[in-house]
């Protein structure tokens, strides 16, 4: 395999994952650094992959700790592993966060199905509650809009690792903030 083919395969896998709920790469670990300089990680759904611009889109609740963490430090790492392809992708870069009132958040909110909108109606993520299942009561799903945020990661480094018995392959790809490829190289796995 050459570097170009390896890179294309990685981005194709992400593009597919953004539209296929069955894809393992649809569920990525988003890693941030918190206010005490400790690493934090959580699963998020890959909502969109803009292959050409090297951008990944996620949705979240603006009341969640991760939103605050990214406001202070927009440098994040995203990690995924696709067992079918035996491919690990580690993507790093800077996020931009779009809250209610922005065109980007409004456009994404409009596309959300009702049941997804409902997930933004409850109490602030991470706060204690009395029982495992608290119903949101009569609150309308529309109430969630003010809590809905879009996170767009501009990937500047992709570390791709292909597991292959006896001949694992690993390569690093660097991108400019416009998504242009700046450099690539093979690494020892
Ligand atoms: C399969 C799965 C998918 C998830 N997708 C999202 C998501 O797209 N956005 C999100 O904010 N949280 C998502 N979560 C919940 C987060 O993993 C996390 O628990 C929550 O957002 C609170 O994170 P924080 O306290 O680090 O801010 C998902 C959880 C699971 C198990």
């Amino acid at each position: 395999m050459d570097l170009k083919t390896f890179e294309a395969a990685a981005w194709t896998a992400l593009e597919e994952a953004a539209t296929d709920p069955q894809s393992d790469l649809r569920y990525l670990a988003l890693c941030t650094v918190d206010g005490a300089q400790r690493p934090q990680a959580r699963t998020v759904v890959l909502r969109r992959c803009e292959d050409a611009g090297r951008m990944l889109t996620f949705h979240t609740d603006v009341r969640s700790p991760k939103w605050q963490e990214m406001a202070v430090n927009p440098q994040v790492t995203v990690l995924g592993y696709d067992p079918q392809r035996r491919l690990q992708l580690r993507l790093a870069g800077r996020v931009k966060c779009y809250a209610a009132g922005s065109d980007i958040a409004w456009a994404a909110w409009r596309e959300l199905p009702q049941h997804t909108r409902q997930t933004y109606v409850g109490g602030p993520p991470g706060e204690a509650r009395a029982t495992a299942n608290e119903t949101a009561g009569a609150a309308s799903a529309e109430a969630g809009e003010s809590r809905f945020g879009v996170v767009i990661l501009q990937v500047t480094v992709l570390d791709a690792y292909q597991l292959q018995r006896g001949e694992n392959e690993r390569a690093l790809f660097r991108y400019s903030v416009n998504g242009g490829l700046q450099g690539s190289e093979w690494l020892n796995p």
Side-chain angles (χ1 to χ4, degrees), residues 42-147:
R42 78 289 289 162
T43 309
V44 288
V45 174
L46 176 62
R47 303 285 172 175
R48 197 163 169 212
C49 170
E50 281 171 67
D51 184 336
R54 312 299 178 198
M55 286 188 273
L56 304 181
T57 300
F58 307 98
H59 294 169
T60 195
D61 191 312
V62 301
R63 300 168 299 170
S64 67
K66 73 177 90 49
W67 184 271
Q68 310 303 329
E69 288 159 15
M70 291 185 290
V72 176
N73 183 352
Q75 299 292 342
V76 308
T77 288
V78 161
L79 179 72
Y81 177 62
D82 183 334
Q84 248 98 52
R85 291 181 166 91
R86 308 184 78 208
L87 176 67
Q88 172 180 266
L89 300 179
R90 181 162 55 175
L91 306 121
R94 209 180 160 88
V95 287
K96 284 196 176 146
C97 299
Y98 300 90
S102 65
D103 290 348
I104 287 179
W106 173 240
W109 177 259
R110 269 194 336 218
E111 301 287 311
L112 291 186
Q114 197 68 10
H115 66 91
T116 308
R117 290 183 174 189
Q118 201 72 40
T119 56
Y120 296 91
V121 171
E127 285 195 7
R129 56 153 72 173
T131 57
N133 294 298
E134 262 176 13
T135 54
S140 129
E142 298 316 303
E145 197 210 327
S146 63
R147 288 98 178 241

Side-chain angles (χ1 to χ4, degrees), residues 18 24 38 79 82 98 107 125 129 131 148 152 156 174 176 182:
D24 290 288
R38 293 198 177 94
L79 179 72
D82 183 334
Y98 300 90
R129 56 153 72 173
T131 57
F148 173 71
I152 302 182
T156 48
R174 291 187 186 280
S176 70
Q182 280 190 323

